[in-house]
Amino acid sequence: MFAFKVARRYLLSNPSQTLLLIAGVALGVTVFIFITALIAGLAVRLTDQVTGNSAHVSLQPATRVARVLPGPDLPVESVALVSTFQRQQIRDWPMVIDLLRANPEVSAISPQISGSAFLVKSEAVAPVAVLGVEPQGIDAISRITPNIIEGDGDLGANGLLIGVRMAEELGLGAGQSVLLRTERGVERQLTVRGVFRTGLQSLDERVAFLSLQTARPLFDLPEGVTNIEVKLKDPQDARATARFLGEATGLRATPWQEKNVGLEDALKAQGQTGTMIQIFSLISIIIGIASALVLSAYRRRSEVGIMRAFGVPGGFILWVFLLQGLLIGLVGALIGCASGYGLCTWLESITRPDGTSILPIAPRQGGYAAALVLTTLGAVIASILPARSASKIDPLEAIQQ
């Protein structure tokens, strides 16, 4: 294609300017990729921090509502009241567990009996949120046993695991006995099997774990469970999975996003900020290419005039300048994608002593395809104005200049 050869010759005739243009485009693309990877990595890290020790989807019994009883013979409407003393529970929870295990998106399941209680040690009393779990699944939702700093995770029939802040508040340690008084008025002497430290205040200060069978008589639930906590392979699928599970089981399914509305809003605002930075990067690329090609078109007015005088159509001149913009944008975008990936990979390799990356960056989510397409398209758009200007040059006027 002759237009391509002419465009390449124009670019190579001034290599320093061409290299400067390509370097500017590559720098803009590198910034684009860095911002995209940083925002994606930050979203992943914040999500992991929030959901690392909590469920992605919580299943609970459907909310009971008082019903109006029909009856034509009744002088006034009668209402079926809802008992507030009877615990809501999931009675057919084994069937729900089987359904969850068949779901490929589910990575961990924890049927639980949750309730409120008090721990009493001599004159010290502390409120506690009790979680009755299956002993073999104690780490399904929260990593408890790897964070035990005293004792072990063997719950047994009378075992109890408490957080380090609660242990300090009550003066408890592994092997000591403590009285548990539940919201149902049931009391039982339990033994602290282990003390854990997760670093999450809500767990370390106010949550205690015991076995599911031990929790049943304490909370008057001989058969069912109060909730089923679910972990997913991808936390971002929580809304869709919760919707499916709610329809399939008739239970109230709550995704983690509904419990952390503030975090979701912050992630959206963060994404919008990143989008604005990406737009400004593209605008700077377009302005740089357009200004350089306008200058090139002005400098080559005499050459363009001679070509027009020999009968070269304006469409050919248009294609020459469009191809210049395409080549600059494509080469600069490819170099920028490579340098952006290298920069993000290098930053990811800089870690703290605990092995976590200093910057929450995700090199594989740098938006390389978008950067390549948008930059190339932007470069072509930037070359339209100088291309149209060059294609409309009057041959006689250009030659005289």
Side-chain angles (χ1 to χ4, degrees):
M1 185 177 180
F2 185 62
F4 179 81
K5 293 181 179 179
V6 174
R8 186 179 61 182
R9 187 179 71 83
Y10 278 178
L11 291 175
L12 295 178
S13 65
N14 194 343
S16 59
Q17 177 182 307
T18 302
L19 289 175
L20 188 61
L21 273 174
I22 292 176
V25 173
L27 180 60
V29 172
T30 301
V31 172
F32 183 100
I33 289 173
F34 170 73
I35 294 298
T36 304
L38 182 63
I39 290 175
L42 185 58
V44 171
R45 176 170 294 187
L46 289 175
T47 301
D48 288 343
Q49 288 177 348
V50 170
T51 63
N53 287 304
S54 61
H56 297 147
V57 178
S58 297
L59 297 177
Q60 297 171 316
T63 304
R64 294 178 295 182
V65 181
R67 296 180 292 105
V68 176
L69 298 177
D73 299 332
L74 298 175
V76 294
E77 290 183 334
S78 300
V79 178
L81 299 178
V82 175
S83 171
T84 57
F85 183 78
Q86 183 180 4
R87 288 292 302 272
Q88 287 185 287
Q89 57 182 305
I90 304 173
R91 296 183 182 276
D92 56 347
W93 63 275
M95 296 177 58
V96 178
I97 296 296
D98 291 339
L99 175 65
L100 291 171
R101 286 174 178 164
N103 192 325
E105 301 298 326
V106 175
S107 61
I109 309 165
S110 177
Q112 298 180 356
I113 293 178
S114 59
S116 301
F118 289 95
L119 285 180
V120 182
K121 177 66 174 178
S122 299
E123 297 182 355
V125 180
V128 60
V130 178
L131 293 180
V133 298
E134 294 179 323
Q136 69 274 17
I138 189 172
D139 296 321
I141 304 301
S142 304
R143 292 178 58 81
I144 301 300
T145 54
N147 293 310
I148 291 179
I149 59 175
E150 184 181 352
D152 55 52
D154 184 14
L155 291 173
N158 295 303
L160 188 71
L161 295 180
I162 62 175
V164 63
R165 289 176 177 252
M166 182 179 295
E168 292 172 354
E169 182 179 347
L170 296 176
L172 289 171
Q176 294 184 329
S177 297
V178 64
L179 179 67
L180 179 71
R181 182 183 299 135
T182 71
E183 60 190 26
R184 296 287 157 175
V186 181
E187 295 183 354
R188 185 166 178 175
Q189 200 78 19
L190 300 175
T191 301
V192 177
R193 298 291 186 185
V195 178
F196 58 83
R197 179 192 286 119
T198 63
L200 191 63
Q201 183 176 354
S202 58
L203 276 177
D204 294 345
E205 189 173 10
R206 285 290 173 263
V207 177
F209 294 87
L210 44 76
S211 70
L212 197 64
Q213 295 303 320
T214 303
R216 290 195 178 283
L218 292 174
F219 293 96
D220 194 22
L221 284 175
E223 297 178 354
V225 296
T226 59
N227 54 289
I228 300 175
E229 304 297 292
V230 181
K231 280 276 194 181
L232 303 177
K233 295 178 181 177
D234 185 358
Q236 301 304 323
D237 295 335
R239 289 189 183 277
T241 304
R243 192 180 308 112
F244 168 76
L245 293 176
E247 294 173 355
T249 63
L251 300 174
R252 181 157 47 96
T254 306
W256 67 268
Q257 291 95 331
E258 293 186 9
K259 299 179 181 180
N260 301 275
V261 178
L263 173 63
E264 192 173 21
D265 292 341
L267 291 177
K268 287 181 180 178
Q270 174 184 283
Q272 292 169 354
T273 302
T275 301
M276 292 299 297
I277 297 175
Q278 293 167 348
I279 291 174
F280 287 132
S281 298
L282 291 175
I283 291 175
S284 65
I285 292 172
I286 291 173
I287 292 175
I289 294 175
S291 60
L293 291 181
V294 166
L295 180 60
S296 175
Y298 181 79
R299 290 173 52 196
R300 300 185 183 279
R301 286 175 63 86
S302 59
E303 297 180 24
V304 173
I306 293 172
M307 285 191 292
R308 293 298 307 276
F310 276 95
V312 175
F316 179 86
I317 306 299
L318 182 71
W319 268 109
V320 168
F321 282 87
L322 287 178
L323 286 172
Q324 287 186 71
L326 175 64
L327 289 172
I328 292 172
L330 182 60
V331 174
L334 290 173
I335 295 175
C337 287
S339 62
Y341 179 76
L343 175 64
C344 294
T345 304
W346 175 68
L347 291 173
E348 186 186 35
S349 65
I350 303 175
T351 59
R352 298 188 181 92
D354 60 358
T356 59
S357 178
I358 292 179
L359 278 179
I361 197 165
R364 289 163 294 281
Q365 300 183 40
Y368 303 97
L372 183 61
V373 172
L374 291 176
T375 302
T376 305
L377 182 61
V380 174
I381 293 174
S383 62
I384 291 177
L385 180 60
R388 285 175 60 87
S389 176
S391 66
K392 294 180 179 180
I393 291 176
D394 181 36
L396 182 59
E397 181 183 348
I399 294 173
Q400 288 176 348
Q401 289 181 353

